[in-house]
Amino acid sequence: MRVVIAEDLALLRDGLERLLRDNGFDVVAAVEDAQSLLAAVERQRPEVAVVDVRLPPDFHDEGLRAALHLRTAAPGMGVVMVSQYVEPTYAAELLADGRGGVGYLLKDRIMDVSDFLDAVTRVAHGGTALDPEVVAQLVGRGGRDGPLAELTPREREVLALMAEGRSNGGIAQTLVLSTGAVEKHIASIFGKLGLAPSDSDHRRVLAVLTHLQGERAG
């Protein structure tokens, strides 16, 4: 699997490159700024890019802007954004197009190597990988009058795990439920949120998150 890394800190960039290479990924470019990222993707056509939200020259949202551009310019490529802090507004922007192949992780999550590698792989194959802390801010704090108001506490737990990119089986294992029970909870969630069912895990997750974000913005 071909990967491009965009990270301005040389130590972290080198560490990511070594980690991915040691686990069978083909790192075709490791760059330090947004312009170099765009050039590398155009030249190498990777399956996935791992991109820091904040890149030179201003260290604001250059990485995010480059990623949003690539969502259109290279629609088949997955993008895993990494950030030092929880920035749910940025995550919402990435989710706004309703497509899969997107991840948003805190840099601390990279320390859990197996989860990080799983996230990169899942995103490269069109799935989602959202950091639990980002999910908590996106869907875990719905007010009494918000779209989450009708959900039971268990349904909110299921929704949060869906948003992290977990499969029905993964949700069942985490919550110690049967797969059938998880499927019933998901059907109830979709019904209460007025969303059509979907057979695609990442599309249903993105639909839920986009819907919730739209409700809050309205």
Side-chain angles (χ1 to χ4, degrees), residues 3-48:
V3 184
V4 165
I5 299 167
E7 166 59 55
D8 66 288
L9 294 175
L11 194 60
L12 180 55
R13 185 172 65 248
D14 292 346
L16 283 170
E17 183 173 3
R18 187 176 303 109
L19 172 64
L20 291 167
R21 287 189 189 279
D22 287 349
N23 286 277
F25 292 84
D26 181 12
V27 180
V28 294
V31 301
E32 63 180 358
D33 58 61
Q35 286 303 116
S36 298
L37 167 65
L38 298 178
V41 169
E42 182 177 3
R43 183 173 63 253
Q44 300 289 350
R45 300 295 177 183
E47 281 76 41
V48 63

Side-chain angles (χ1 to χ4, degrees), residues 93-195:
E93 287 189 63
L94 284 169
L95 297 167
D97 62 13
R99 294 187 289 119
V102 63
Y104 193 104
L105 303 175
L106 292 180
K107 288 184 177 180
D108 287 348
R109 203 68 55 188
I110 297 171
M111 302 301 292
D112 190 330
V113 174
S114 62
D115 281 356
F116 174 68
L117 296 174
D118 179 67
V120 174
T121 301
R122 187 161 65 246
V123 169
H125 287 105
T128 57
L130 301 182
D131 194 283
E133 292 190 38
V134 175
V135 171
Q137 293 204 23
L138 285 171
V139 303
R141 298 182 179 178
R144 293 180 180 179
D145 300 323
L148 301 178
E150 295 185 31
L151 301 187
T152 67
R154 177 64 84 185
E155 287 168 350
R156 288 167 67 95
E157 288 178 331
V158 170
L159 176 61
L161 291 171
M162 286 171 58
E164 290 173 26
R166 307 286 186 91
S167 66
N168 287 5
I171 294 171
Q173 184 176 16
T174 299
L175 298 180
V176 195
L177 297 172
S178 69
T179 302
V182 170
E183 290 172 352
K184 289 180 181 178
H185 283 308
I186 291 172
S188 177
I189 290 167
F190 274 99
K192 291 177 179 179
L193 294 179
L195 295 165

